[in-house]
Amino acid sequence: MFSTTTILLVVCLYMAVLFGIAQIVENRAESTGRKSIHPLFYVLSITVYATSWTFYGSVGFAAESGLLYLAIYIGAILAILTWWRTLRRMVHAKETYHISSIADFISARYNRSQAIAAMVTIIALLGIIPYIALQLKAVIGTYEIIAAPTDSEGYSSGFTGSLITLLMIIFTIMFGARRLDPTERHQGMMVVLAVQCLIKLVAFISVGAFVTYTLYDGMGDIFQRITWAGLGHLLGSSSHDGSLSVQWITLIILGAASIQCLPRQFHVAVVENSNERHIRLAMWLVPLYLLAISFFVIPITAGGLMQGLPVGEADSFVLRLPQLAGNQGLALFVFIGGFSAATGMIIISAMTLSTMATNHLLMIAIDRYKRLNVLRHYLLQCRWLMIALILSSSYWFAWEFSDSYMLAAMGMISFAAVFQFVPAMFGGLFWQRGNKVGAMLGLCAGFLLWFYTLVLPTFINQGWFNPDLLVSGPFQIAWLRPQELFGLDGLSTLSHSVFWSFVFNSLFYIVGSFSHRPAKLERTQLSDFMKSMRTSRHVHKARPTGLDAYIQLTPKLREAEHLLSDYLPLDKAEAAVARITEDLAVNYKEQITIIELVEFHRMLEHALAGAIGAASAHNAIENTIKYTEQETKDLKAVYSHILSELHGQGEANPAVVDPQLEEENRYSFIENLQKTIDEQTAELTEQKQALEKAIELRDRSDQKLFDQRLVNQKLIQEVKSLRHRLEREEDDGSVI
């Protein structure tokens, strides 16, 4: 065991090294201008999925249920194998819409709905904050194991937990929230995450190898001793609650959903992605990582049980086994590995949740209550405060419920919470009929069923409510019992909740989408969103105009700077507007066309979305940016002209276009126009490929001709040389 001072010094030194690594990476990125990191760092950062729940908890899971712990990893790996079709589409949409979080992504799919973004954020906060508390509990609990017992042990644990929480707040603010735009890639944080993920993997493999090849004589010896010791259940699987097969299916489904729907996983895999080709590397390297970190789970579990450690302490076998063997150095390294597993998740989760809470909860309050408008100038500081609140509340939760049933159950409760994003998220990816009404109804229904069938029974087991509710149901209605809803029994509480929440979520999503016809704006947004996921090219910086330039640019620039300055410092607002005008190629113009103005506002919204989220940015543009009467008239005229040309009515007067016909045909017009553009683009691509092939054939032919000329010249030289030799031989013969 180590003294409290030694452990604190090691932790502080380790955090200082991480600070140093992050600072070096950030400084190098700023000096070189590179906006991406090595793909290996990107891939390793995704393995933040393996938290302290994996590092310590998988052994405890195996001690009770055998190989059932593999179900989560199987589900995650199956999901990863689909990433080229799913994750790549999300990355494309992220580039187009400047998406900063999973709430931003789902809301962008449904017409940038602020209500949907807020609902996703609330579900994430309620599901993830207790999960962060679980990580803090792991750090505090392992500290108590490795530290030498003192008279003030309780004080030492509290002090250590507070210190670690403070360090997490500082680190997250410094390298995760230094800038307001969360879509700017955090290269320093990503490299630190990669380093932490590598350390926890090496630490876990080290203790596994120590148990297998030092305490015992290899895998064969361990498996033989498992049989002798009557621990055969470790080599099978069992469930103490409900059907085993249903439990396998449930955990596989949750594993597949969590690696894509957890806010931290979405951030590292989608928001921080700088090149879609990196996804291919992740598709085989991340599964290898998950297999590697789970390889020694059974040997460690068996080793702890055969050493006489109680099953109730199985979560700490990873740390206790080297400690009991007297290998204090390895025990300290394992502690650092578990610390890395926990703090990596804490840092990235706090950053993503603070972004979501600021953009989709605080911004709504600021827009609704004028007294809060002053906070627009302090959004970055609000995000810092949000990080501190999230981590402080998580630490309070861990401290208040450190020995309760509730905290131990929070891992699966959190996975089931983010599972509610699946219908709206993946339905939105592949089902064009889905709309914001269906998505909102599905999220609300799934959330209520999740709370009623999973969280409420946990509260009851905690002693907060009358247990008769589980036995008799509310108002003595037996078919409304939370754990046997509608008479469905024989399932574990987790499987029961996942089933009913998914059924109601999907049902309301589908029925709501079919029963509501979206407005033309939402249909247009849907077409743009689906297109953005089909192409890897970034959105064009400018679009063709075709109208006279008569709009004064300077007032429009001042209007844009005024809007951005409500959310950004003035210098950054001016720089953003200057960058937009440069990208649009109007920075030297005094007057612009109406279509250039529309494109300017579109790019302005794109820039603002990085600071406050796509939904809030869209709302700010609609409420702030105004068109004059002439500009509005010209926009309608341009649209009507294009519409009439598309329908072969070029002679028609745009001013007399039937408004009802315009309303009905606008969406089909956009789709037909986009189809034409796509067909022409494909044709140009084919012609370019044919031209490249012809050039390649010509080059090959030229090369063959060149090679043949060389051969001919060589033959000519050889013939000449042979002729000279023959002539010399004839001359020599005549002399003789």
Side-chain angles (χ1 to χ4, degrees), residues 172-241:
T172 306
I173 290 174
M174 286 189 63
F175 298 104
R178 288 199 298 181
R179 306 177 184 89
L180 189 57
D181 187 350
T183 61
E184 292 184 7
R185 297 183 179 94
H186 308 85
Q187 298 184 35
M189 176 173 285
M190 291 292 283
V191 172
V192 165
L193 281 178
V195 170
Q196 289 185 309
C197 290
L198 192 60
I199 288 175
K200 71 187 177 191
L201 176 63
V202 174
F204 196 87
I205 291 178
S206 297
V207 70
F210 172 77
V211 171
T212 304
Y213 299 104
T214 301
L215 297 184
Y216 299 95
D217 293 330
M219 285 288 186
D221 181 39
I222 282 187
F223 285 113
Q224 191 175 48
R225 289 172 180 265
I226 287 175
T227 304
W228 293 345
L231 299 175
H233 68 280
L234 297 180
L235 304 181
S237 58
S238 60
S239 175
H240 304 294
D241 187 12

Side-chain angles (χ1 to χ4, degrees), residues 11-24:
V11 168
C12 291
L13 179 62
Y14 177 64
M15 292 300 297
V17 171
L18 296 181
F19 271 104
I21 292 173
Q23 191 63 53
I24 291 171

Side-chain angles (χ1 to χ4, degrees), residues 549-577:
Y550 70 92
I551 301 171
Q552 295 295 325
L553 178 60
T554 302
K556 300 300 180 182
L557 296 182
R558 286 200 297 265
E559 182 184 44
E561 290 172 357
H562 177 72
L563 171 61
L564 289 181
S565 64
D566 285 341
Y567 306 95
L568 302 172
L570 183 59
D571 57 335
K572 291 184 180 293
E574 293 174 348
V577 172

Side-chain angles (χ1 to χ4, degrees), residues 488-564:
L488 180 64
D489 55 6
L491 300 180
S492 67
T493 303
L494 178 65
S495 299
H496 178 267
S497 177
V498 168
F499 173 78
W500 282 120
S501 63
F502 181 73
V503 166
F504 274 79
N505 193 330
S506 302
L507 181 64
F508 275 75
Y509 176 61
I510 294 171
V511 172
S513 296
F514 274 117
S515 62
H516 172 74
R517 175 176 171 78
K520 64 181 184 301
L521 183 62
E522 184 177 352
R523 298 198 303 268
T524 303
Q525 166 66 13
L526 169 62
S527 179
D528 291 342
F529 188 88
M530 301 305 282
K531 174 185 174 294
S532 73
M533 294 190 296
R534 290 196 299 266
T535 175
S536 60
R537 295 173 184 156
H538 293 176
V539 176
H540 296 297
K541 296 293 184 182
R543 296 168 183 166
T545 59
L547 296 179
D548 294 332
Y550 70 92
I551 301 171
Q552 295 295 325
L553 178 60
T554 302
K556 300 300 180 182
L557 296 182
R558 286 200 297 265
E559 182 184 44
E561 290 172 357
H562 177 72
L563 171 61
L564 289 181

